[in-house]
């Protein structure tokens, strides 16, 4: 297990007395042009421009069935429901998210080292990577709540201590993502501007924010300006499709009031050269099952 320095310069101030917008100080694609990998030059250029890319058929149907069966098993397990890594819906008390899924489940652990996933992350970030966070998001039908607009980097910087924008997420659909069942929305190009949010971070903020985000959310005015400038893209696709997106992309999702569930597995890869330090705008670190402190590089599955 490797460690990181305790503190370095803060390039992205946030959680102050007022909202502050900062132009991105970091590359979007960190690898040198022509670096070999599974992402085509055209898709890398699209990721650079928009802050995301899609993979239509990352997983085959039999693989999806295997991961979905494992998710159903975990959600039905009362021990897992009681685990601190599980977040439950306040009303239905059904599982909303399970964190550190690659440590909870040997089945999901295989995804982290799968070359189809890992090599894309390494190509974008230009280095070895470790898992900063992993989880499954479960949106059962008939009222599962959404996730409000936010930049993941704002929280990971403020509360976990990630210094630079050198982190990429992959969301893999385990059920069909329809236009109506609470799909992922991203503002293309929003990754170029960091929104430093107003307001201090409460101690142990994660206990509330995992159910309903409050601290670290942009103002209505900032969101309106960004939506007017960039538009909003809604991601749909069959089970097995995937979306990779930059850590500073402004994104969110609506409630799912349809009968059709929407479940995705979500893996966050961070460069080993961008290891977390002390939080930049929070009194204490979040637990390691939310923001990892083990920076050991992920190695490809044999």
């Amino acid at each position: 297990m490797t460690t990181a320095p305790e503190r370095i310069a803060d390039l992205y101030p946030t959680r102050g007395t007022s909202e502050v917008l900062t132009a991105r100080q970091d590359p979007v694609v960190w690898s040198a042009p022509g670096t070999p990998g599974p992402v085509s030059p055209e898709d890398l250029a699209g990721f650079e421009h928009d802050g995301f890319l899609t993979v239509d058929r990352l997983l085959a149907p039999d693989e999806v069935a295997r991961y979905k069966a494992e998710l159903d098993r975990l959600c039905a397990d009362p021990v897992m429901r009681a685990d601190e890594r599980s977040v439950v819906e306040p009303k239905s008390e059904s599982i909303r998210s399970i964190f550190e899924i690659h440590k909870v489940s040997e089945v999901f652990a295989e995804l982290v080292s799968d070359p189809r996933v890992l090599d894309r992350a390494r190509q974008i970030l230009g280095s070895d990577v470790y898992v900063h966070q992993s989880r499954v998001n479960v949106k059962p039908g008939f009222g599962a709540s959404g996730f409000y607009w936010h930049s993941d980097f704002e929280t990971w910087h403020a509360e976990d201590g990630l210094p630079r924008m050198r982190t990429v997420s992959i969301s893999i659909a385990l059920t069909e993502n329809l236009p109506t069942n609470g799909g992922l929305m991203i503002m293309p190009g929003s990754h170029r501007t960091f929104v430093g949010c107003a307001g201090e971070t409460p101690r142990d903020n994660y206990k509330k924010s995992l159910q309903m985000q409050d601290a670290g959310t942009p103002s209505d005015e900032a969101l309106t300006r960004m939506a007017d400038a960039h538009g909003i893209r809604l991601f749909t696709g069959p089970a097995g499709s995937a979306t990779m997106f930059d850590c500073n992309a402004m994104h969110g999702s609506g409630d799912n009031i349809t009968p059709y569930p929407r479940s995705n597995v979500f893996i966050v890869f961070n460069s080993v050269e961008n290891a977390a330090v002390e939080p930049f705008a929070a009194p204490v670190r979040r637990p390691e099952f939310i923001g990892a402190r083990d920076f050991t590089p992920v190695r490809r599955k044999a």
Side-chain angles (χ1 to χ4, degrees):
M1 178 173 177
T2 55
T3 59
E6 292 300 298
R7 196 68 166 157
I8 59 176
D10 185 358
L11 298 180
Y12 300 102
T14 190
R15 311 281 175 102
T17 56
S18 59
E19 190 173 69
V20 179
L21 273 60
T22 303
R24 187 187 184 103
Q25 306 294 301
D26 295 306
V28 179
V29 175
W30 288 75
S31 60
T35 299
V39 185
S40 69
E42 294 75 19
D43 282 347
L44 275 181
F47 187 89
E48 173 88 30
H49 184 269
D50 294 327
F52 59 81
L53 63 86
T54 58
V55 184
D56 290 337
R57 295 282 183 176
L58 182 72
L59 300 181
D62 61 323
E63 295 176 294
V64 171
R66 182 166 176 260
Y67 289 119
K68 182 62 169 60
E70 176 69 354
L71 175 59
D72 291 344
R73 183 190 71 81
L74 292 170
C75 289
D77 184 352
V79 175
M80 190 71 253
R81 182 182 297 274
D83 193 291
E84 66 174 346
R85 290 170 290 190
S86 295
V87 182
V88 300
E89 290 282 351
K91 293 181 180 179
S92 67
E93 297 186 353
S94 59
I95 286 182
R96 170 189 174 96
S97 301
I98 301 174
F99 281 81
E100 217 170 39
I101 193 66
H102 70 297
K103 294 186 177 181
V104 167
S105 165
E106 292 183 1
V107 175
F108 280 108
E110 296 173 8
L111 271 177
V112 169
S113 57
D114 189 312
R116 295 171 295 179
V117 175
L118 177 61
D119 289 358
R120 283 180 164 89
R122 294 179 63 182
Q123 186 180 2
I124 290 170
L125 300 180
S127 70
D128 282 335
V129 297
Y130 71 93
V131 177
H132 176 69
Q133 183 186 103
S134 72
R135 67 178 188 263
V136 285
N137 287 334
V138 184
K139 273 194 175 182
F142 299 116
S145 53
F147 295 86
Y148 196 68
W149 289 107
H150 63 286
S151 152
D152 287 328
F153 179 75
E154 194 281 336
T155 297
W156 298 338
H157 182 69
E159 301 185 36
D160 297 339
L162 293 194
R164 310 293 292 266
M165 294 180 182
R166 198 170 180 179
T167 314
V168 66
S169 301
I170 183 166
S171 176
I172 306 171
L174 300 182
T175 56
E176 187 172 5
N177 282 223
L178 302 165
T180 51
N181 66 347
L184 174 69
M185 296 181 287
I186 295 180
M187 298 183 187
S190 59
H191 60 305
R192 294 287 185 181
T193 303
F194 176 75
V195 181
C197 300
E200 292 185 358
T201 308
R203 191 176 186 89
D204 291 338
N205 178 56
Y206 76 93
K207 294 180 180 178
K208 178 182 178 183
S209 67
L210 296 182
Q211 292 188 334
M212 183 63 68
Q213 186 142 349
D214 186 12
T217 55
S219 67
D220 292 351
E221 292 75 18
L223 289 171
T224 300
R225 289 196 301 271
M226 295 184 86
D228 286 346
H230 302 296
I232 296 172
R233 167 80 180 271
L234 171 65
F235 293 87
T236 60
S241 60
T243 304
M244 297 193 75
F245 57 99
D246 180 82
C247 58
N248 191 47
M250 192 63 66
H251 66 287
S253 63
D255 296 349
N256 181 15
I257 61 172
T258 75
Y260 311 112
R262 174 185 173 266
S263 299
N264 290 51
V265 58
F266 184 82
I267 305 168
V268 180
F269 292 100
N270 187 40
S271 169
V272 296
E273 299 172 14
N274 189 46
V277 295
E278 289 303 304
F280 286 90
V284 294
R285 303 173 182 174
R286 297 195 299 175
E288 292 196 26
F289 68 83
I290 301 175
R293 292 281 157 172
D294 181 351
F295 313 128
T296 304
V298 178
R299 297 305 179 197
R300 290 181 66 174
K301 182 170 60 178

